[in-house]
Amino acid sequence: MKQIITTLLTTLALMLTACGQGTSAPLKDVVGIKINEANQSIYSTDASIQLSATVTYDDNSTDDVTEYVEWKSSTDKLTVSTSGVVSVGFYNGGDSNISIAYETLTDGPVNIALIPMKDFNITVSDGGTPASGDQPLLATGIFEDNTSRVILRNILWDLNNSATISIEGNDTLITLLSGDTKITASMFIYDNDYNQTEEIIYTAP
């Protein structure tokens, strides 16, 4: 990781000084870096959000340096990459502070709050007529702000027979067999304070 960070900082230094190479114009000094976004929230089942960073030179000009600064997260509830993408982990709720650094310059933190899920349910959306074969499988979460949202991440499916589950884009499909299928969904299995499990029995003719 240290080698990767060193490479990124070297690249940034070259990028920030390249404007003066081969010309008579003086090199510009970096006087500040800044995360462009303010504090924000993200649902604990979402995928990611994008943050960006800007550098300011001594002549008040600016550049986008999102991919050249060192990004840090204060907790493992959220991870952040060198491109400023903040990814949600396996936790249901909690805050993380995101900061950036370049040499002796720093900025942040920007607080990212995870909105926790209070409950969830699973249904087979068969239009009211039980059937075998491919059927939409829906998991819906109810969050602390009373918002209901379809869940696509941080969910572990388990079936008691040879039925199968597949993800196609933003849709979850289950291929059902005739007879009873016990469908179990577990959420946040690595978060001991918040893990939840729901199950239904679906009977297809």
Side-chain angles (χ1 to χ4, degrees):
M1 177 60 74
K2 184 176 181 181
Q3 182 179 4
I4 294 174
I5 292 172
T6 301
T7 302
L8 288 171
L9 295 181
T10 302
T11 303
L12 176 57
L14 291 173
M15 186 193 78
L16 299 182
T17 58
C19 61
Q21 294 179 357
T23 69
S24 59
L27 298 180
K28 297 188 289 187
D29 292 327
V30 177
V31 296
I33 56 175
K34 180 177 178 57
I35 299 175
N36 298 322
E37 291 74 22
N39 297 343
Q40 52 191 287
S41 300
I42 182 172
Y43 291 96
S44 56
T45 56
D46 284 354
S48 62
I49 55 174
Q50 174 73 57
L51 299 180
S52 59
T54 296
V55 65
T56 300
Y57 301 104
D58 56 356
D59 63 355
N60 290 324
S61 62
T62 59
D63 270 320
D64 184 298
V65 290
T66 301
E67 297 185 4
Y68 300 100
V69 295
E70 179 186 0
W71 292 87
K72 300 177 182 178
S73 175
S74 63
T75 74
D76 60 358
K77 295 180 184 295
L78 295 171
T79 60
V80 60
S81 72
T82 54
S83 59
V85 176
V86 181
S87 300
V88 180
F90 298 99
Y91 294 91
N92 185 23
D95 291 3
S96 288
N97 290 321
I98 306 299
S99 59
I100 56 174
Y102 167 66
E103 294 186 346
T104 61
L105 300 174
T106 61
D107 189 48
V110 169
N111 182 263
I112 308 297
L114 282 173
I115 302 173
M117 186 184 73
K118 297 190 301 183
D119 196 10
F120 80 106
N121 59 74
I122 53 176
T123 56
V124 177
S125 304
D126 55 17
T129 304
S132 59
D134 291 344
Q135 299 292 340
L137 182 60
L138 187 66
T140 304
I142 303 170
F143 292 82
E144 192 175 62
D145 61 356
N146 293 319
T147 298
S148 295
R149 295 167 61 89
V150 174
I151 302 167
L152 295 174
R153 299 183 69 256
N154 283 338
I155 185 166
L156 177 65
W157 296 100
D158 185 60
L159 306 171
N160 70 328
N161 56 28
S162 298
T164 59
I165 290 177
S166 60
I167 307 296
E168 298 184 6
N170 291 326
D171 298 318
T172 302
L173 298 177
I174 182 170
T175 302
L176 291 156
L177 309 176
S178 295
D180 292 342
T181 298
K182 183 169 73 172
I183 306 168
T184 304
S186 300
M187 294 290 303
F188 304 106
I189 59 175
Y190 299 110
D191 190 337
N192 293 329
D193 294 327
Y194 291 101
N195 56 65
Q196 303 176 44
T197 299
E198 295 286 339
E199 68 177 37
I200 60 173
I201 303 293
Y202 186 86
T203 303

